[in-house]
Amino acid sequence: MPAPQYPAVQAARRALADRLREIRLNSGIKTKYLAEAAGWDRWKVGKIEHAQRAPTVADIRAWCRVCNAEDQCDDLIAALQSVDSAYSTWKRLQRGKGGLRRLQESRLALYEGSSTDWTYCSQVVPGLLQTRNYVAELLTLVSHRSGGPDDDVPGAVAARIDRQRVLWRPGRKFLFLMEEAALYYRLGEPQVMADQLSHLANITASAIPSVALGVLPFSRPRSQWVLENFTVFDGDKVEVEILSALVTITARGEVSLYLSAFEELYRSAVFGEEARRLIEAAADTYR
């Protein structure tokens, strides 16, 4: 399978490939000799060094053995595992019985361990602000997309709703931004959407002290284009939701990029009564 074409992950794969190439060059070993000594085909070394093929743990061990760099082996394996964990396909995360429920439960520790979260959503209501029926509709679609069983959904819904208790933890701060378009993307029956939007309208009135909710209007000028859904945790970790996977970003430069984008989005958002009016206008379309 080719390496995922996501910038942060590709950059990490490129860095690992560069380190392996540097080790080979420093050892004075030619690519042909390395391939023969490791028992590989002649093209494998070049593909690994150009990040066209991800090495396995066994590949790294053989590489370091042939290049007399065993002292760097553990560090390189740790870098490989870091890259692999940064890109987790939804199918892999939901593998096995009760996978969707386990995925939702596993997310709780991350939210409990952070103190300030910045979340941007362009297609759906932010997870911590979703009503039970909205969650059910959304996770049913997720389950169907991943090929999971329908009986996995109720437990996953309960786990996601249970996660919302972090909103009431003392000292926690949550800043949510969502595109106005997400208010109109329908999930389920009209009543599901009407109830969900009513919940959001209440939140704009500071129904939850730890939460600030902003809406990015269709009509307002902006300096940042629409992005994929993402959350920044405590300013040092970002999780990005793309169609195929959950991408985790911890590199400082990449995290700063998302924080900067969030700041630009924030400048284009409206809060309080202005946000409430947009939400209620959307709710009227479902009544």
Side-chain angles (χ1 to χ4, degrees):
M1 178 180 294
Q5 300 299 308
Y6 195 81
V9 178
Q10 281 294 86
R13 289 189 185 278
R14 177 74 264 174
L16 177 59
D18 288 345
R19 290 182 64 186
L20 290 170
R21 182 172 185 272
E22 183 180 3
I23 287 173
R24 180 185 63 77
L25 292 175
N26 288 341
S27 70
I29 291 177
K30 301 293 186 180
T31 57
K32 182 179 179 181
Y33 177 82
L34 174 56
E36 290 176 350
W40 301 334
D41 68 70
R42 57 183 297 191
W43 307 111
K44 183 171 180 176
V45 174
K47 288 181 179 179
I48 289 176
E49 290 188 350
H50 289 89
Q52 296 172 346
R53 175 172 179 169
T56 65
V57 171
D59 291 339
I60 289 177
R61 292 191 188 283
W63 195 294
C64 291
R65 173 177 54 78
V66 175
C67 296
N68 296 314
E70 285 91 346
D71 60 322
Q72 299 186 56
C73 188
D74 289 344
D75 187 48
L76 289 166
I77 290 173
L80 172 65
Q81 292 171 338
S82 177
V83 172
D84 288 343
S85 65
Y87 188 97
S88 302
T89 65
W90 294 116
K91 190 169 185 178
R92 188 177 83 186
L93 290 170
Q94 298 170 44
R95 186 177 297 152
K97 184 176 178 58
L100 185 58
R101 172 185 53 77
R102 285 187 287 100
L103 171 60
Q104 297 302 314
E105 291 174 341
S106 70
R107 313 291 296 139
L108 178 60
L110 178 60
Y111 285 90
E112 287 185 329
S114 62
S115 60
T116 304
D117 300 342
W118 297 266
T119 297
Y120 165 77
C121 287
S122 54
Q123 310 103 6
V124 295
V125 172
L128 290 177
L129 305 182
Q130 294 170 0
T131 61
R132 182 176 294 274
N133 288 336
Y134 186 95
V135 172
E137 296 291 344
L138 178 59
L139 293 188
T140 296
L141 294 178
V142 170
S143 180
H144 289 171
R145 166 65 65 178
S146 63
D150 288 341
D151 60 6
D152 191 21
V153 173
V157 172
R160 175 169 284 199
I161 293 298
D162 179 64
R163 189 195 310 165
Q164 294 179 4
R165 68 175 185 262
V166 301
L167 296 173
W168 305 95
R169 292 283 178 89
R172 294 302 312 276
K173 294 181 180 179
F174 301 90
L175 179 53
F176 297 98
L177 299 179
M178 60 183 297
E179 297 287 346
E180 184 179 359
L183 303 173
Y184 292 89
Y185 294 145
R186 177 176 162 181
L187 289 176
E189 296 299 319
Q191 191 59 49
V192 172
M193 292 300 299
D195 291 344
Q196 174 64 77
L197 297 180
S198 176
H199 179 57
L200 293 181
N202 289 336
I203 291 173
T204 62
S206 300
I208 306 178
S210 64
V211 171
L213 171 62
V215 177
L216 287 99
F218 290 127
S219 58
R220 193 161 186 173
R222 58 196 299 161
S223 56
Q224 173 61 59
W225 60 87
V226 175
L227 300 171
E228 58 277 288
N229 299 339
F230 69 87
T231 297
V232 183
F233 298 92
D234 284 339
D236 54 24
K237 179 178 183 178
V238 183
E239 289 198 340
V240 186
E241 299 179 9
I242 61 177
L243 177 63
S244 59
L246 177 67
V247 180
T248 302
I249 298 170
T250 55
R252 183 170 299 178
E254 295 282 343
V255 172
S256 296
L257 187 64
Y258 277 90
L259 281 171
S260 176
F262 193 93
E263 290 175 0
E264 294 297 331
L265 291 163
Y266 180 87
R267 293 189 182 99
S268 300
V270 296
F271 295 82
E273 187 57 33
E274 288 184 86
R276 184 184 181 90
R277 283 198 294 268
L278 293 176
I279 294 169
E280 290 181 339
D284 286 341
T285 66
Y286 298 108
R287 296 182 180 128

